[in-house]
Amino acid sequence: MKKKQTKRVVSAWLATALAAGALFPLTAVDAAGATQTNSFVALRTGLNVNAPDAPPPYPKGEHKLLPGEPAEPAAGTWGYDGKTGTFKHPTATPNNEGPQPFEGSLPYLDQNQYLKNMKIEGFYPYVAGWGHSWQATFDLNGRRYLYDYETTMYNVYDITDPRKKAASTGMRPWAATASGWLTSATRTT
């Protein structure tokens, strides 16, 4: 009986603390001291409320262009146009690593899904392996297959009807033979 009463008291106290924290924030909000900028600020709503921040750009270091490689495009010649709502791609860019934020880009990683003229027939997580892999589709004997190759193994899935879960032929790791040639070693899963 005492445990039940303790749980109720703690639950009531936590609920009161949450409600009080929502009504009376501990940090001061100074709207008058905020400066007005022309930057685009995207509100985090829906699935983006807890979305992770977009990664910052890599530090700009000494970058020697290769022969024939274009220079970095001038600021303002590409990016999001807030008036028209369109994005203008740069004509040419050098080989750049990492994120390339621009005026109007989201400060977080968008978690929403956008569909236009499409219908999701099925979603099966973990079909392709983690990391970098290559996928290809091919038709054979009236069936359609998805081939997924990743580092040391591959999978072949029957994707003839996307509404049915893809049937895997099983992972097949590559194995070295005594002669040094790589062959496909069949493994039952």
Side-chain angles (χ1 to χ4, degrees):
M1 184 72 165
K2 188 164 173 110
K3 270 188 177 180
K4 226 180 220 185
Q5 189 177 10
T6 304
K7 280 185 179 180
R8 284 185 183 160
V9 170
V10 170
S11 296
W13 184 84
L14 283 173
T16 306
L18 284 172
L23 294 173
F24 309 106
L26 296 177
T27 57
V29 178
D30 183 16
T35 58
Q36 180 68 25
T37 66
N38 289 332
S39 327
F40 171 73
V41 177
L43 299 176
R44 294 180 185 223
T45 60
L47 292 174
N48 293 320
V49 171
N50 297 314
D53 290 336
Y58 290 171
K60 296 285 184 190
E62 190 76 24
H63 180 71
K64 187 177 178 185
L65 296 174
L66 296 172
E69 188 175 18
E72 191 73 41
T77 61
W78 66 281
Y80 177 73
D81 184 352
K83 293 177 185 159
T84 64
T86 59
F87 181 85
K88 181 179 183 203
H89 294 275
T91 306
T93 62
N95 182 19
N96 283 327
E97 298 262 339
Q100 304 292 322
F102 53 87
E103 183 65 32
S105 62
L106 293 174
Y108 55 85
L109 301 177
D110 193 355
Q111 304 296 304
N112 291 314
Q113 293 183 12
Y114 302 93
L115 297 176
K116 185 175 182 179
N117 299 329
M118 280 188 180
K119 178 183 170 195
I120 297 176
E121 294 289 348
F123 172 71
Y124 309 103
Y126 315 118
V127 170
W130 295 102
H132 191 98
S133 66
W134 296 266
Q135 293 91 34
T137 58
F138 62 93
D139 295 326
L140 181 66
N141 297 331
R143 309 229 24 108
R144 176 158 287 182
Y145 296 94
L146 169 71
Y147 169 80
D148 172 46
Y149 168 71
E150 179 183 6
T151 55
T152 61
M153 63 185 66
Y154 68 91
N155 286 296
V156 179
Y157 298 95
D158 183 354
I159 59 169
T160 306
D161 185 356
R163 292 172 296 248
K164 293 180 182 172
K165 186 166 181 166
S168 170
T169 60
M171 287 189 200
R172 303 200 191 297
W174 294 99
T177 61
S179 63
W181 289 94
L182 289 177
T183 61
S184 172
T186 318
R187 181 182 74 166
T188 56
T189 54

